[in-house]
């Protein structure tokens, strides 16, 4: 990508400190980058999913993240994890609207009654750590590989666990666990903005 090469040169020999740029100028560059990426064939939903994360002021990192996300979503693990993440987000959206509250905050491990809940919670913790470390090193391919480890646990959870349990505490805890899926995937992108 020519635009990515220019961004890389600018990052290596910056003419301007991007952290001192006015927000509206940075927004202008971000919009231009979005247009350039789309012209070069990047999916608009992936660009939006990456830009939806807070603090996306390093435009070269945005380009690299979009590329890695696109490659990941071309795999079976990527497609299936996207489906599971969207399912979790849809359930959360419906239940949060119905109940008039958000299901954020850490779930209570003492309320896990099924192996699938425990396995999912463990996988989420592992993925958060690995993906977070990979993103910190700007290794987005490794972050996507970490995300792939979440897929089997998400699939098993939805296959064997009734989210809307009759016990209100268990139900709330399971919804908080679904929110943890959403939080874990936000290490790389806002998966709710990605189209199937």
């Amino acid at each position: 990508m020519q635009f990515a090469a220019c961004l890389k040169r600018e990052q290596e020999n910056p003419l301007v400190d991007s952290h001192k740029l006015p927000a509206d100028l940075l927004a202008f560059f971000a919009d231009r980058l979005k247009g350039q990426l789309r012209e070069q064939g990047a999916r608009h939903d992936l660009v939006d999913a990456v830009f939806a994360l807070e603090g996306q002021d390093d435009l070269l990192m945005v380009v690299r993240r979009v590329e890695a996300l696109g490659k990941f979503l071309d795999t079976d693990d990527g497609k299936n994890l996207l489906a599971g993440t969207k399912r979790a987000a849809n359930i959360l959206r419906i239940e949060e609207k119905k109940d008039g509250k958000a299901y954020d905050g850490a779930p209570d491990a003492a309320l896990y009654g099924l192996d699938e809940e425990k396995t999912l919670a463990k996988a989420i913790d592992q993925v958060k750590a690995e993906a977070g470390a990979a993103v910190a090193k700007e290794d987005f391919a490794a972050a996507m590989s970490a995300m792939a480890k979440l897929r089997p646990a998400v699939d098993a959870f939805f296959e064997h666990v009734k989210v809307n349990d009759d016990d209100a505490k268990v139900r709330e805890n399971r919804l908080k666990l679904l929110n943890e899926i959403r939080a874990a995937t936000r290490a790389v992108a806002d998966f709710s903005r990605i189209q199937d």
Side-chain angles (χ1 to χ4, degrees), residues 9-186:
R9 271 196 309 274
E10 171 59 24
Q11 186 179 41
E12 291 169 354
N13 300 306
L15 299 174
V16 179
D17 182 357
S18 67
H19 299 290
K20 294 180 182 176
L21 286 175
D24 54 347
L25 185 58
L26 193 57
F28 169 77
F29 286 131
D31 283 342
R32 288 297 306 132
L33 177 60
K34 281 183 181 181
Q36 183 70 30
L37 288 172
R38 288 177 184 141
E39 286 174 17
Q40 293 179 352
R43 289 176 35 188
H44 69 89
D45 57 330
L46 301 187
V47 174
D48 290 341
V50 170
F51 269 106
L53 301 177
E54 289 186 32
Q56 293 303 305
D57 59 356
D58 186 333
L59 301 181
L60 179 60
M61 291 303 106
V62 169
V63 171
R64 292 181 55 216
R65 201 179 284 234
V66 168
E67 288 173 351
L69 183 58
K71 288 177 184 174
F72 176 63
L73 292 174
D74 284 341
T75 68
D76 286 340
D77 281 341
K79 290 173 190 165
N80 290 326
L81 180 59
L82 176 61
T85 302
K86 284 185 163 280
R87 185 174 178 186
N90 287 337
I91 291 170
L92 277 167
R93 187 184 73 251
I94 291 165
E95 298 305 314
E96 287 174 341
K97 183 177 179 182
K98 182 174 78 175
D99 297 343
K101 69 177 192 174
Y103 287 102
D104 49 8
D108 182 354
L111 292 174
Y112 297 148
L114 300 173
D115 288 341
E116 289 81 8
E117 292 172 286
K118 296 171 191 170
T119 301
L120 178 58
K122 184 177 177 182
I124 288 169
D125 289 343
Q126 179 183 0
V127 165
K128 279 184 177 179
E130 289 179 17
V135 168
K137 291 189 282 187
E138 300 174 1
D139 186 349
F140 301 113
M144 299 304 162
S145 292
M147 287 289 158
K149 295 176 184 176
L150 196 55
R151 179 206 164 184
V154 170
D155 290 348
F157 179 87
F158 281 124
E159 187 174 329
H160 299 288
V161 177
K162 177 183 174 187
V163 175
N164 286 319
D165 194 83
D166 296 333
D167 182 323
K169 287 184 179 180
V170 171
R171 174 184 177 269
E172 179 173 348
N173 205 56
R174 288 177 179 170
L175 289 168
K176 286 182 176 182
L177 190 55
L178 292 184
N179 188 59
E180 291 290 295
I181 297 170
R182 184 168 55 184
T185 57
R186 286 185 74 76

